[in-house]
Every structure is written in C-alpha cells, then in structure tokens.
Amino acid sequence: MPTSLGVLPDQQAVCEKPPAFASQMDYFRSRLGADQTIEWLRKKKAVGLKVIGLPGWSVPVEIVLAAGGVPVRLSGIWEEAKHFRRELPRDICPLAASFFLGAESLSREGLLDVAVVPGTCDWKRKLNDLLAEDTKVLTLQAPPSENLGFLSKDLRNFAREIALITDLPVVSRNLKFASAEIARVDEAFAALHRLRRHPTCALSGEDALAVEEALMRDDLSRWTERCRTLIRLLEEESAMTEDSPSDRAPRIFLAGSPVIWDRGNLVHLIEKAGGKVVCNDFHSCLTSLYAPEISPARDDVAFSTLPLRWARSCFCSAVGEDEGLIFRAIEDFRVEGVVGHTYRACGRLQMRMSSFLRRARDSGIPSLAVETEGDSNDTERLLTRIEAFIEMLFARRRSGA
Amino acid sequence: MSLVAGVDVGSTTTKVVLIEDSQVLAAEVCATGANCRKAAHALLAAALQSSGRERSEVRSVVSTGYGRKLVDFADEIVSEITANARGAVWLHRGEVPVRTIIDVGGQDSKVICVDRSGLVTNFAMNDKCAAGTGRFLEVLSRILEIDLDQLGEISLKSRKRLEISSVCTVFAESEVVSLISQGKSVEDIVAGLHKSVARRVGDLVTTVGLQEAVFFDGGPALNCGLIKAFEEELGVSLIVPESPQIVTATGAALVASDSLSDKASRDRIKPPSP
C-alpha cells in the first residue's frame, strides 16, 4: 500500500500499537449507540424517574438534576432514528434535525417526558413546533444578555416548568447537591481537555469527541468516574512517551458547527488525513477550559449564581460569540492549523466563519474552510482538501515557517 | 541519476510523467475510463516505452488525483493541490514567481496560493457542483454538438456574449437549450459558457486573494476562449504552460524526487551501527 505524505511511517507504527487507555475508551464508545441509551432510560423509567431530553451540556442541567429528572442528550442518534423520519426539508441543519429525530425516537419509545429545546435559530424553532405535536416541549431561549437578574428570572421559570413534570420542586438544598455534581463533571471535562495540550497526550480528537458525546448518555457520576480513570491512564501514558516534534501529527483546532458523532464525522476525517484535533469550540469545550469560575460549586449556590454559567453557554459555536477564547486556545494548545466547519444550511455561521478564518490567517495560523451537509456523501472530496491542508502544514513545519 | 514517475489519475484523464535529473523524459495522457488502475498501469508502460526505459529503473512513483489511492504501484500518494503547486512553480521559472495557480480539472477547480519559495499558503476548491469545471464545458459542448477542443476558437468569434448561470450545471444546460431554441448564435452561447466558468473560478480566486504572477493549468487551459474569459474576469494576464494537462503529474514526479533526496539525506546523517 502506498503511504500518504500526510502520515509519516513512524506515526503509522505508533497508531498501530494499542494504547493502554483503550479499555476505558471502550466504555465511552459503547455509550454512543441508541440501544444503550434506551436500555439505560428504561431502567430509570422503571423506578419512576422522569426523563428530560436536552440539546447538550450548554443548558442548566443542574436544575434538571435538582428537580429529580434524568438528563439525556438527544442529538447524535440520527442513524437509529431514520425510520421515524418525517418529511423534513433536504437542506435542514443536521444538528437541529439530529436533536429533533432523537427526541422523536425516544418519545415514541415512551422514554421522554419533555424535550428542552433551544430556540436559537429558525430551524430549531420550526422543528420545535413540529415536535410539539406529539411530545411535550419546553423552549429555552439563548441567554439574551449577561444581565444576571434577568437570567435568574428566566431560570426560575425554567425550574418551575421542570418541577411540574417531575413533581419535585427545585429547592436550595437539592440545587446545591446538583451543582456540586455538575462541578465534578466540569472539572473532569476541563482536566481531560487540559491534558490534550501536551504534545505526548495519546488521546485522539476522535476519542475526545466520544468522551464528550457519551456525557448524558449514562449517569453523570459514572461518566465522571470513568473520565477520571481515563485521565489517570493518559497521564501515565504521556509520561512514558518521548516527544518527537518533527514526526508528530499537525495540531488542529476544529471550530464551528458541532460535529455529530454518527453523521460524517469530520474529526475522524482530519485524523485519517494525518492531523490531530487537539481542541474544538463545540460542546462548551472552551467554556469549561477557560471559565471554571462559572461552575457554581460554592456553598452559596442559588439561582443568583447559576446565571453565570448559563450566560456563557452556547448551543452551536463560539465563532463570532467569543473568539477571544478560541485565539487563547490556539496559543495554549500550540495549534498549527484551524479547520472551520459550517453546515451548508447555516448561512449565519458561514458569514461569521469566513471573517474568523481570515483573522486566523492574518495572525499567521493557516486555516481551511469546510462546508458539509453533515453526512458521509461527500467524504472523498472533503478528504482531498483535508489531506492537502495537512500536507501544507507539514511542509510549513519543514520549512520552519 | 534517479528516474521517478508521477501519476495523476483525474476524473477525465490519467497522466504519467517520467523525470530524471530535472528533465521530463516522457509524458503520456489517456482517458481514465471506468478502471483507474488499468489506465495507470497502461500509461506507465507507454511512458517507459516512449523513453526507452525499464520499469525496474524507476526509483519512486508518486500518485495523485481523485484516483490516487487506487494506483497500486505507487510508493507514496499526495493530494493534487500539493502536486499541482509543486509542478506549476517548477515549470514557470520567470522573473516574477508564480503566486496564484488556477487548476481547472474535469470535476474540480482549485485556486492555490504559494509564497515566494513555492510553499502552499492557502487554497480553495469548488464545492459539489460541476459548475466552473471542465465537466461543465464537456456537458454543454455535447448539447451544442461541438467538439470540446473547438470551443475556444468558436467563442473568439462571438459578437455579443450571452449571460449563462454559473451556479449549477443543470440550470445552465436548460438555459442553453432555451437559447438555442431562441435562435441565438452558437458563438455567443459558447462565449457565455466561458464567462460562466470564469465567474465561478473568479469567486474562488476572491476567497484566497489574487497575487501575480497567475498560472493557469489543467486540460481546460488548452481552450483559448477560456483563457480570454479568465483574463477579462480577473483583470490579469495568465501564464499558461505548453502542456497544461501534465502539470499535476509533473509535480507528483517532483515530489517523488524530493522524497528520494530527503531519504538520502536522512541516511547520510544516520549514526553508524555499533
């Protein structure tokens, strides 16, 4: 077999060796199938718990926990949900569709008590209307401002609505316990991402994505425990590995539309082409890394402190919202190239992305714009661009640019 | 002396170039057809025959193009962007170095920026639609019942160029059918088609930024009408090589040569075995 110039022979040899942390990764990857999520939720329903479907981590999960609800991530089970598919437009935002189809499939299994859906764009708002025909829906608007008083009121309303479903009011004591649990998750999440700054960290971008996607597809405490074990194993592995700067894969920051695990996984393509995704701006990765102070783990936790976390959350992409954090990460993670991903259906992000990538280039970071439809139909064409980009980064490194 | 080969398996044609000591020994082009592997094998054999060399003399083969991964005799593969840039910079040794390369292929159009040393700094490619590619002209020439290689001369006779969609090949096809039924002149329609491709590629140029000198290659660069349309659209003169189809294969062969040199230098600095 010919070798790609993007992957040096030495790296291929390293990739073939099974890493010591692989057994921990088996747990996270096993949580990504719809069957496992359904089985887990059946057990929760069997003991009378209420299931609250969420778009991701960027929502006030502590309120759901404090009200005794089980938070479950709805996006990313597209393939399994295909047979429930209604007449959706062809050019729909894959992220919104993934969330919608996940909610619909769980609802039909009788495993969803309410879907908390973001109303951050027209796609999501219209899909919410459609979803509301068969499923109870709570629309959560994006934080309108950093006015904490306003946000606090918003969250109280949200807590009241959730309490109506779970029959358990959100009281201060429960909120404190829930917030402590969220803080433990955030801490593990941030520690895992911090580890990726090290050049010898063996965790691939695809592994990291699997860990992120597994969150809220099992009990949070179990996820946290597994994540801590993974971090320990990675630290041990990293300490034993010798860094070889010239041979290692170019370090990539993936910005823009969040990648959906089972829908044309862009992280997989970048790493197949010989790069390594070391950081991204979706799933609140940057928020957990750079704003630990917003985790309300303090004793005085109450509705007055929760808005801090909520105000910094983002449903889709930090591009355009908080580019300062991205540029900080680019420096911290010694990023060599930025891939800016947008879904074809999201014109709003495309406009922001082009100016962001221009700024990245102006600051000396090579960048590549990638537009996808969130499926695997265009893989080969996409791979050509990514391979060329990785070759460009290798050539740049060799030339000392 | 190192004989190396570059194989560019494109969607329409396959190209093989043999290089030795910075000299192109042979260059062959054939239609890719349905079996990329077969085309690559046959073409390498033809190139060796025309240069009077043996397969065993070829020290390294690098494949590129959309079928690059199917060339089972290649030692390395490289993307067509890297190969094309390497080939263009090497082929043009003018006073003003190449900084922007436009490569229009059968199903892809690429615009590549290189720095003064020939290093790729940025690039853009067309998206899924064939608008702005060689396939666009191929499809439309069939509707007009004109040979592809005559399009250039015909368009130069145009007196009033027509406007044709640059967004979608299928839309353009129905527009051309409609223009034919309106009795519009073939020359004006063909000039409109060239303008349509130029607009589409011009958008890619805008994305990466235009810097002179601008090099134009790929099979469609044989079309003088298209060169004129590009020059008007971009407002610059284009450098077009003598054989624009073989630039990417030439680049692939040069990458093969570079790899051999790199390997030789690595071997030289290896410490002696104990």
Side-chain angles (χ1 to χ4, degrees):
Chain A
M1 272 293 288
T3 57
S4 163
L5 290 185
V7 182
L8 299 175
D10 291 352
Q11 280 174 277
Q12 286 175 330
V14 171
C15 293
E16 282 158 17
K17 197 177 83 180
F21 61 88
S23 59
Q24 280 303 306
M25 282 312 303
D26 287 347
Y27 160 76
F28 293 106
R29 287 176 184 267
S30 75
R31 302 309 308 172
L32 302 179
D35 290 347
Q36 283 75 10
T37 307
I38 286 168
E39 194 189 327
W40 168 60
L41 293 179
R42 281 210 175 106
K43 286 180 189 163
K44 297 294 171 188
K45 293 294 285 179
V47 295
L49 293 173
K50 302 290 184 185
V51 176
I52 317 293
L54 302 174
W57 193 240
S58 313
V59 290
V61 186
E62 43 276 82
I63 289 178
V64 174
L65 291 181
V70 178
V72 59
R73 180 193 291 269
L74 290 177
S75 58
I77 48 176
W78 178 292
E79 291 304 319
E80 291 81 357
K82 253 182 187 167
H83 57 290
F84 293 124
R85 188 169 187 162
R86 300 197 212 183
E87 288 304 313
L88 297 178
R90 189 178 153 71
D91 290 332
I92 194 168
C93 163
L95 196 67
S98 174
F99 179 84
F100 170 82
L101 292 169
E104 198 176 48
S105 60
L106 287 182
S107 182
R108 291 195 184 202
E109 294 277 345
L111 294 172
L112 190 67
D113 293 286
V114 65
V116 177
V117 289
T120 46
C121 70
D122 285 347
W123 279 123
K124 295 187 188 91
R125 279 193 287 272
K126 291 297 170 198
L127 283 174
N128 296 351
D129 292 344
L130 203 57
L131 190 61
E133 290 172 12
D134 306 313
T135 307
K136 184 161 177 52
V137 169
L138 275 181
T139 301
L140 197 61
Q141 298 301 336
S145 70
E146 293 207 7
N147 179 330
L148 299 187
F150 192 92
L151 292 174
S152 176
K153 192 178 156 197
D154 220 26
L155 289 172
R156 280 176 196 280
N157 287 338
F158 179 65
R160 264 194 293 275
E161 297 269 14
I162 293 288
L164 284 176
I165 292 156
T166 60
D167 271 337
L168 187 68
V170 178
V171 294
S172 191
R173 185 168 173 274
N174 289 355
L175 195 55
K176 186 179 161 189
F177 283 126
S179 296
E181 172 128 43
I182 298 296
R184 284 191 290 274
V185 171
D186 272 344
E187 198 181 303
F189 201 76
L192 185 78
H193 287 304
R194 275 197 299 272
L195 208 56
R196 296 169 73 196
R197 285 190 297 204
H198 298 291
T200 56
C201 176
L203 193 77
S204 68
E206 199 176 352
D207 287 336
L209 183 64
V211 175
E212 292 177 13
E213 288 277 327
L215 184 60
M216 292 202 293
R217 287 190 172 171
D218 196 359
D219 293 348
L220 292 179
S221 56
R222 192 155 39 231
W223 183 93
T224 309
E225 185 194 326
R226 293 287 192 157
C227 192
R228 283 175 179 164
T229 309
L230 178 68
I231 291 167
R232 183 174 52 74
L233 291 172
L234 283 167
E235 282 170 345
E236 287 169 11
E237 177 99 7
S238 182
M240 288 187 301
T241 310
E242 204 173 310
D243 186 24
S244 177
S246 60
D247 286 356
R248 68 172 181 234
R251 299 169 67 79
I252 306 292
F253 185 98
L254 180 57
S257 302
V259 169
I260 304 168
W261 181 259
D262 60 1
R263 297 276 297 160
N265 189 333
L266 189 57
V267 178
H268 173 75
L269 286 187
I270 292 172
E271 299 197 329
K272 188 179 172 187
K276 181 170 181 178
V277 176
V278 291
C279 195
N280 60 58
D281 74 333
F282 40 86
H283 296 304
S284 299
C285 171
L286 296 183
T287 310
S288 69
L289 268 172
Y290 294 120
E293 71 279 11
I294 63 176
S295 281
R298 298 188 298 265
D299 288 344
D300 62 342
V301 64
F303 282 110
S304 56
T305 55
L306 279 186
L308 284 166
R309 187 172 111 88
W310 174 226
R312 296 292 296 272
S313 66
C314 68
F315 287 121
C316 281
S317 166
V319 170
E321 302 285 358
D322 204 342
E323 283 182 16
L325 286 187
I326 298 183
F327 282 105
R328 187 172 161 191
I330 285 172
E331 204 177 317
D332 279 0
F333 284 73
R334 280 168 279 184
V335 167
E336 294 170 272
V338 175
V339 174
H341 173 229
T342 51
Y343 288 124
R344 193 181 296 269
C346 190
R348 184 177 148 197
L349 185 57
Q350 280 163 17
M351 289 177 77
R352 283 176 173 176
M353 184 58 78
S354 56
S355 58
F356 162 68
L357 293 180
R358 195 171 48 248
R359 275 192 288 280
R361 270 195 300 277
D362 289 347
S363 62
I365 306 290
S367 64
L368 174 72
V370 171
E371 190 183 276
T372 73
E373 293 174 17
D375 56 26
S376 50
N377 295 343
D378 206 17
T379 301
E380 278 309 311
R381 189 181 285 256
L382 215 52
L383 198 53
T384 297
R385 292 172 202 213
I386 297 169
E387 281 176 359
F389 186 61
I390 301 295
E391 286 166 7
M392 186 176 110
L393 297 180
F394 267 123
R396 192 178 146 92
R397 191 191 282 172
R398 274 196 298 269
S399 74
Chain B
M1 291 208 302
S2 296
L3 179 64
V4 290
V7 182
D8 173 16
V9 183
S11 62
T12 309
T13 56
T14 295
K15 287 77 69 176
V16 167
V17 169
L18 292 179
I19 288 183
E20 187 175 46
D21 295 337
S22 301
Q23 294 291 321
V24 175
L25 293 191
E28 299 286 338
V29 181
C30 75
T32 299
N35 190 335
C36 305
R37 197 170 289 149
K38 198 174 157 189
H41 274 277
L43 213 55
L44 179 65
L48 288 167
Q49 192 178 21
S50 69
S51 59
R53 306 298 288 265
E54 296 292 325
R55 175 68 181 89
S56 57
E57 293 176 69
V58 181
R59 295 273 313 280
S60 179
V61 179
V62 166
S63 64
T64 187
Y66 101 105
R68 63 193 179 278
K69 289 168 191 168
L70 297 172
V71 180
D72 52 6
F73 56 86
D75 299 296
E76 283 178 298
I77 55 175
V78 65
S79 74
E80 44 269 51
I81 288 152
T82 300
N84 189 265
R86 183 75 177 87
V89 170
W90 186 75
L91 284 166
H92 174 68
R93 298 150 181 148
E95 273 183 24
V96 182
V98 168
R99 300 297 301 275
T100 308
I101 303 155
I102 298 170
D103 171 24
V104 180
Q107 65 176 17
D108 284 324
S109 293
K110 308 155 201 92
V111 178
I112 308 165
C113 294
V114 292
D115 65 14
R116 288 186 178 280
S117 64
L119 205 65
V120 177
T121 55
N122 197 6
F123 62 88
M125 280 174 83
N126 67 312
D127 54 22
K128 274 182 181 176
C129 184
T133 71
R135 183 79 69 216
F136 176 86
L137 293 176
E138 199 180 318
V139 168
L140 275 304
S141 68
R142 215 172 291 147
I143 303 277
L144 292 164
E145 297 180 328
I146 300 171
D147 284 341
L148 201 55
D149 54 11
Q150 287 174 14
L151 286 179
E153 294 297 337
I154 290 174
S155 74
L156 295 181
K157 293 175 188 155
S158 165
R159 290 187 172 182
K160 189 185 174 196
R161 187 180 60 210
L162 296 165
E163 284 296 315
I164 294 168
S165 167
S166 62
V167 177
C168 168
T169 306
V170 179
F171 286 173
E173 200 174 337
S174 43
E175 276 180 49
V176 168
V177 170
S178 166
L179 291 170
I180 293 169
S181 67
Q182 287 168 34
K184 301 288 183 190
S185 90
V186 169
E187 290 83 1
D188 293 344
I189 294 175
V190 176
L193 291 175
H194 289 155
K195 177 69 180 170
S196 165
V197 176
R199 268 203 309 269
R200 187 78 176 197
V201 173
D203 288 345
L204 292 179
V205 173
T206 307
T207 306
V208 298
L210 179 74
Q211 277 186 288
E212 292 189 75
V214 184
F215 189 90
F216 176 30
D217 69 83
L222 291 165
N223 178 333
C224 55
L226 196 59
I227 295 170
K228 181 172 177 264
F230 275 21
E231 289 184 335
E232 282 173 5
E233 178 71 21
L234 302 174
V236 295
S237 295
L238 301 178
I239 298 158
V240 183
E242 202 177 318
S243 304
Q245 323 96 297
I246 61 159
V247 174
T248 306
T250 304
L254 292 166
V255 170
S257 182
D258 295 343
S259 292
L260 284 180
S261 307
D262 287 350
K263 190 174 177 299
S265 357
R266 277 202 303 272
D267 289 346
R268 268 199 300 277
I269 57 171
K270 259 186 192 168
S273 303

